Amino acid sequence: MRSLNLFLVSLLLSSLASGVGGWCYDSMSPDCGPSTWPRDHPKCAGSGQSPIDILTKEAKPDPKLSDITFKGYIDPDKSLDWTLYNDGHSVQLILNGSITISGGMLPGTYKADHLHFHWGTDSSPGSEHTIDGMQFPMEMHIVHLNQNYHSKQEALKHPDGLAVVGIMFVESDSDAKDYNFIQYLKHVKNHNDKYTIKPFSLENMIPNDLSKSRVYYRYQGSLTTPTCNEAVIWTVYKEPIPLSKDQLNAFPKILHYNESSRIVSNFRSIQKLNGRTVNVFNSGSLLFRLNLLMCVVGIQALLLFN
Ligand SMILES: *[C@@H]1O[C@H](CO)[C@@H](O)[C@H](O)[C@H]1NC(C)=O
Ligand SMILES: *[C@@H]1O[C@H](CO)[C@@H](O)[C@H](O)[C@H]1NC(C)=O
Ligand SMILES: [Zn+2]
């Protein structure tokens, strides 16, 4: 009996030490940080992992890539509910309703499941992907599931199961107006806190300004947290969203994983490319080609009518 009790106590202690869900970031404890993930989650030691450092000069332009079509982002169904959730590793906004992406050589339509963030501390950056070695203050992941699979569990078994859109944030001098999302963080301060919110326009969370040139990087990778399934078609936008220092700092300041400790530096370090190709789409080069065409047509018309 005594040894059983001891056994149960040691089991309890070891589960406490190993963080929420059995894994953590080094900022919480090196005992359950990323280098230990493969122990319980062998896929984390795979050869097609995320995040990666995106080398812009090595990225291959692919003329078959095109703009991603975002549907239901600007005008979500207000009769539904969304849930904000502190999962102990990050903050998730669990979406609801028909919000999808397609196009851009995605093999089908992908339905938005949730979005979450990766950040640093109030003085160090925390994006997961880096671009030419540069780490951004924060990165958002909008996680979408391939509609051809009937569940998330099923989608996680296929290389085209998930499409995740990565969007970077940079620090700017002024508050980004209408960045509604941050005001809700105080309602999910503690691990497992949930807060219901009415759907709002995600307009300022996606690259939707068609007058600007859009550049994104595309590669095949994985979830950046256990279980690290290599089931993700990644789309990482080059253009960051500007937020003020106060807006960025709200994440490491407010969100906790236990009563005394805040969620900070919740990013995985960059993984080896191992021969994978990173493709690049640039809407600007498309516009340039279109302008060139118009120009040639114009000159020919001039010659013809003179
Ligand atoms: C919070 O977690 C840290 C380990 O990261 C631990 O040292 C601390 O005692 C925990 N605090 C509480 C109140 O559980
Ligand atoms: C979606 O919204 C409906 C209606 O408010 C709600 O009953 C349901 O729980 C929501 N689903 C999720 C996954 O949040
Ligand atoms: Zn993520």
Side-chain angles (χ1 to χ4, degrees):
M1 194 60 199
R2 196 183 137 84
S3 66
L4 181 67
N5 277 343
L6 273 178
F7 173 71
L8 288 176
V9 165
S10 68
L11 210 67
L12 184 70
L13 284 179
S14 68
S15 72
L16 281 179
S18 64
V20 175
W23 62 271
C24 72
Y25 295 99
D26 287 335
S27 56
M28 188 169 165
S29 160
D31 297 341
C32 49
S35 64
T36 71
W37 294 355
R39 206 174 45 206
D40 292 329
H41 310 284
K43 290 189 180 77
C44 298
S47 59
Q49 290 288 293
S50 296
I52 57 164
D53 181 33
I54 294 164
L55 293 171
T56 57
K57 291 229 167 67
E58 310 271 309
K60 263 211 179 101
D62 185 343
K64 294 199 293 302
L65 286 172
S66 59
D67 264 319
I68 305 274
T69 304
F70 290 84
K71 274 209 181 116
Y73 273 78
I74 313 275
D75 193 17
D77 186 344
K78 301 260 196 319
S79 69
L80 301 173
D81 284 317
W82 288 355
T83 305
L84 202 60
Y85 172 48
N86 178 334
D87 68 9
H89 303 292
S90 180
V91 59
Q92 297 187 15
L93 179 61
I94 301 165
L95 304 167
N96 195 352
S98 180
I99 303 171
T100 63
I101 56 169
S102 59
M105 276 182 79
L106 293 171
T109 300
Y110 287 71
K111 186 172 187 290
D113 179 70
H114 78 275
L115 58 85
H116 64 260
F117 298 79
H118 300 269
W119 57 86
T121 67
D122 58 11
S123 57
S124 63
S127 73
E128 295 211 296
H129 289 94
T130 56
I131 298 181
D132 291 328
M134 162 154 161
Q135 190 178 23
F136 289 79
M138 186 163 77
E139 179 173 347
M140 174 174 67
H141 290 156
I142 315 178
V143 178
H144 304 79
L145 305 176
N146 190 329
Q147 285 197 323
N148 293 333
Y149 303 118
H150 56 79
S151 69
K152 189 170 185 173
Q153 280 63 38
E154 186 57 31
L156 282 169
K157 294 179 191 155
H158 302 271
D160 63 354
L162 279 72
V164 183
V165 174
I167 296 182
M168 302 295 177
F169 293 84
V170 279
E171 189 183 319
S172 77
D173 291 337
S174 54
D175 275 10
K177 62 179 169 57
D178 303 330
Y179 210 83
N180 313 11
F181 179 77
I182 290 165
Q183 76 197 32
Y184 300 119
L185 293 182
K186 60 175 181 286
H187 300 294
V188 293
K189 184 170 175 273
N190 297 307
H191 179 213
N192 282 331
D193 280 355
K194 283 187 175 166
Y195 184 74
T196 302
I197 49 185
K198 279 293 156 198
F200 57 88
S201 170
L202 296 170
E203 185 171 11
N204 43 23
M205 291 190 160
I206 54 167
N208 67 328
D209 186 352
L210 292 176
S211 66
K212 269 195 198 159
S213 80
R214 285 164 308 286
V215 176
Y216 70 71
Y217 301 98
R218 165 63 55 77
Y219 78 100
Q220 185 70 40
S222 75
L223 301 181
T224 66
T225 57
T227 45
C228 303
N229 302 56
E230 294 180 353
V232 181
I233 301 174
W234 276 98
T235 302
V236 179
Y237 280 90
K238 184 181 187 188
E239 178 83 5
I241 294 178
L243 291 181
S244 71
K245 198 169 179 59
D246 283 346
Q247 288 177 317
L248 287 166
N249 283 351
F251 291 79
K253 270 208 176 111
I254 295 173
L255 299 161
H256 286 64
Y257 65 83
N258 73 15
E259 264 170 41
S260 57
S261 303
R262 297 179 301 171
I263 304 173
V264 293
S265 301
N266 57 348
F267 61 91
R268 186 188 197 189
S269 59
I270 55 165
Q271 305 292 303
K272 287 202 178 81
L273 207 49
N274 290 324
R276 284 175 288 172
T277 305
V278 178
N279 285 114
V280 58
F281 167 72
N282 186 342
S283 72
S285 62
L286 220 75
L287 277 179
F288 176 73
R289 267 182 272 160
L290 205 67
N291 283 341
L292 200 69
L293 186 73
M294 297 303 280
C295 199
V296 170
V297 171
I299 289 169
Q300 282 183 346
L302 255 172
L303 292 177
L304 216 69
F305 289 108
N306 270 327

